[in-house]
Amino acid sequence: MKLNELDTPSLLLQQDRMTRNIARMQAQLARKGVALRPHVKTGKSIDVVRRMLDAGASAITVSTLKEADYFAAHGVKDILYAVGIVPAKVAHVAELQRRGVRMTVILDSVEAARGLAQAAQQQGVCIPALIEIDCDNHRAGILPDDALLLDIAAVLHDAASTELHGVMTHSGASYDKPGEAAIRAVAQREREAVLQASQRLKAAGYPCPVVSVGSTPTALFGEDFSGITEVRAGVYVFFDLVMAGLGVCAVDDIALSVLTSVIGHQPRKQQILVDAGWMAMSRDHGTASHAVDQGYGLVCDLQGKPIGDLIIAEANQEHGVIMSRSGAALDLAAYPVGMRLRILPNHACATAAQHAQYQVVEGASEQVTATWQRFNGW
Amino acid sequence: MKLNELDTPSLLLQQDRMTRNIARMQAQLARKGVALRPHVKTGKSIDVVRRMLDAGASAITVSTLKEADYFAAHGVKDILYAVGIVPAKVAHVAELQRRGVRMTVILDSVEAARGLAQAAQQQGVCIPALIEIDCDNHRAGILPDDALLLDIAAVLHDAASTELHGVMTHSGASYDKPGEAAIRAVAQREREAVLQASQRLKAAGYPCPVVSVGSTPTALFGEDFSGITEVRAGVYVFFDLVMAGLGVCAVDDIALSVLTSVIGHQPRKQQILVDAGWMAMSRDHGTASHAVDQGYGLVCDLQGKPIGDLIIAEANQEHGVIMSRSGAALDLAAYPVGMRLRILPNHACATAAQHAQYQVVEGASEQVTATWQRFNGW
């Protein structure tokens, strides 16, 4: 099938770009001598994740237990569930463990540790857990110097139903400032935070086999990973306009796009209307605070090449409104009704989540070479 | 099953509220003597839409041809596809027509009308079309006094493969200003715009059997529907925080919520973390410009009652961050890890689209009475 024969909107995955992105991350972390545990929440497809694993990764990170179920069914044996565990989810984790998966969970309080220990005991299993460290005031975790660290460690270490497995952090701040120097500084803080926590654990006589960090920007621009045992990163597999805006990738590294059809024009407003609205693109406007605001996506031709400064400036459910970012007049006749365009997304995880499959293309070819299923939900 | 036994996050539908919302819209339009053609893009479930139809509607509006396929398979015989038609979609429309569905399409240019006529001719069918009118400079359509109106009418009327079926408009401006008076003024402009267009068509000797308007706010607050043959509205079935912020409904009319679990706390920041992030809520922040910014959702207890001014202030993929809107300190101990909460959404269409089913509840009961499937995609 050709791009002109697909229904619109459709989600396209340019495989050569994805292959290059995977190789880049793997090469960077091989150089640094640290293992990669890819986050699969971006792809949610064995066809995507198999290529991440084939490139050298052996374990994965998930954001939902549905991801864990699915990838376990596809043979993945080592899974980190990187959202704070609650007692009601422990039976599900235990069931995965009984299926032969090494499931690790995370938490950041004595209360959650006790809840895990009790629920795991009821299930008759022993579950390894990482203590989440807050390296940048971003979201979850305890500060690396918090007295609670040793209290949580004591609960996990002493209970027969839990195993203190180490520490982890995620530097959400790596999305805040563009440029290699800024991201390198964030990566340094990320590393120092978990190292400090792991040293405190070891000094108190606790084991800390895992010291885990992660984000695509810090993974790619971090200089020093000594003392770190694994890096988690996900969005690098596709990249997106947020990553490009941060200087982490180039626009032509972005492997994901939405195929759309022109459905009309508004000459008075110099607008082109397309059938990719927020349902196809997501409502993510992650470049809104960037130097270059990409609206709800950057408009490309069928070969994936950006067309001037055209963006999806506004989005309704099934309508996207294309305008020039600079407000320049458009040659509307060059975009007839029915013409197809490709839109690069702000946030690959969010845009992919609006679709049930990837239509795979290679380079500038308009031939679809494969259709890969993906899943959503919980 | 009880709410405490469901996986989190899950999408809840409070059926008694939905029933009340459907009855309110039907009663309003019955009073006004105008037909309702509900927009089913909000519910995307026969279990929801059957109740809209049972209340008195006999035809529907769809935003995708997948919706048309699905509802046709469930016996709906009269469907308006309310996104500008492109030639490549005409084969699909023709196939639906061959299955016995009266399919009507919309367009707003001579180019699209010619494209439709040619594609319909190739399919050997005759497809009725409405001309889209722009009543408020919002999105698509031609102005009611645009000379193009008669040019488009001529193409649709003269071609054997198309039928000029009338005019339609959608007042996106009905979402711009709160309050009954402001919305009533928008409803008046909406009606006047399509009436003017229909009068021009009739004066030129063209048929115009359908004069269609639509939006939930204007449908509920419009005073005069004379000359209008049908009203399209969708979000009224569930309502949401955007509608409440506009004064169109009360917060306790909102039938949709997301069930979530507390996964942690950040005492320094007076935050509660839950497992409903943007994946469960959507990235829609439609109340950002309202007098009351609801963040990514308003926090309620298990019975659906708002808890003070707690909102999802920030959202990551699978993490929601609850804070007090006013910045007040929280009694974090009152929200232990594992506790369940319900979050009312900004935009029902967007939040529902992140889920594959509705868990149905009634009133303040914590019992799930049914599970209804919904679909997404194209």
Side-chain angles (χ1 to χ4, degrees), chain B residues 302-357:
Chain B
L302 264 196
Q303 286 76 45
K305 192 166 161 248
I307 303 175
D309 67 349
L310 295 193
I311 59 170
I312 302 265
E314 295 162 30
N316 292 156
Q317 186 156 344
E318 299 289 349
H319 293 79
V321 178
I322 293 177
M323 296 184 74
S324 154
R325 193 191 299 108
S326 60
L330 305 182
D331 175 15
L332 295 181
Y335 307 92
V337 168
M339 180 184 185
R340 278 144 190 253
L341 299 165
R342 286 167 65 170
I343 317 292
L344 299 177
N346 274 319
H347 187 173
C349 307
T351 299
Q354 302 297 104
H355 297 262
Q357 60 264 320

Side-chain angles (χ1 to χ4, degrees), chain B residues 40-86:
Chain B
V40 298
K41 73 184 174 76
T42 309
K44 297 207 187 198
S45 163
I46 189 62
D47 295 297
V48 172
V49 172
R50 183 117 54 208
R51 284 158 179 85
M52 297 163 100
L53 297 172
D54 286 351
S58 62
I60 64 172
T61 311
V62 300
S63 70
T64 66
L65 292 178
K66 184 171 179 178
E67 292 166 42
D69 279 337
Y70 168 92
F71 289 105
H74 283 91
V76 179
K77 295 285 181 206
D78 185 345
I79 299 177
L80 172 65
Y81 173 44
V83 176
I85 190 72
V86 295

Side-chain angles (χ1 to χ4, degrees), chain A residues 102-116:
Chain A
R102 177 163 181 88
M103 284 293 300
T104 304
V105 301
I106 70 168
L107 49 82
D108 67 358
S109 68
V110 168
E111 179 190 10
R114 286 192 183 132
L116 172 65

Side-chain angles (χ1 to χ4, degrees), chain A residues 9 41 64 86 89 111 134 137 139 141 262 266 268-269 275 279 316-319 336-337 354 378, chain B residues 9 41 64 86 89 111 134 137 139 141 262 266 268-269 275 279 316-319 336-337 354 378:
Chain A
K41 73 186 174 73
T64 66
V86 294
K89 293 183 183 176
E111 179 190 10
D134 179 357
N137 212 27
R139 187 171 69 196
V262 172
Q266 287 285 297
R268 276 178 300 127
K269 295 185 275 183
D275 65 358
M279 191 65 95
N316 292 154
Q317 186 156 344
E318 300 288 349
H319 293 79
V337 168
Q354 302 297 105
W378 296 269
Chain B
K41 73 184 174 76
T64 66
V86 295
K89 293 183 183 176
E111 179 191 10
D134 179 358
N137 211 27
R139 187 172 69 196
V262 173
Q266 289 282 297
R268 274 178 302 128
K269 296 185 274 183
D275 65 358
M279 190 66 93
N316 292 156
Q317 186 156 344
E318 299 289 349
H319 293 79
V337 168
Q354 302 297 104
W378 297 270

Side-chain angles (χ1 to χ4, degrees), chain A residues 206-227:
Chain A
Y206 291 112
C208 189
V210 171
V211 183
S212 175
V213 297
S215 83
T216 285
T218 55
L220 287 171
F221 287 161
E223 286 183 305
D224 184 1
F225 290 88
S226 52

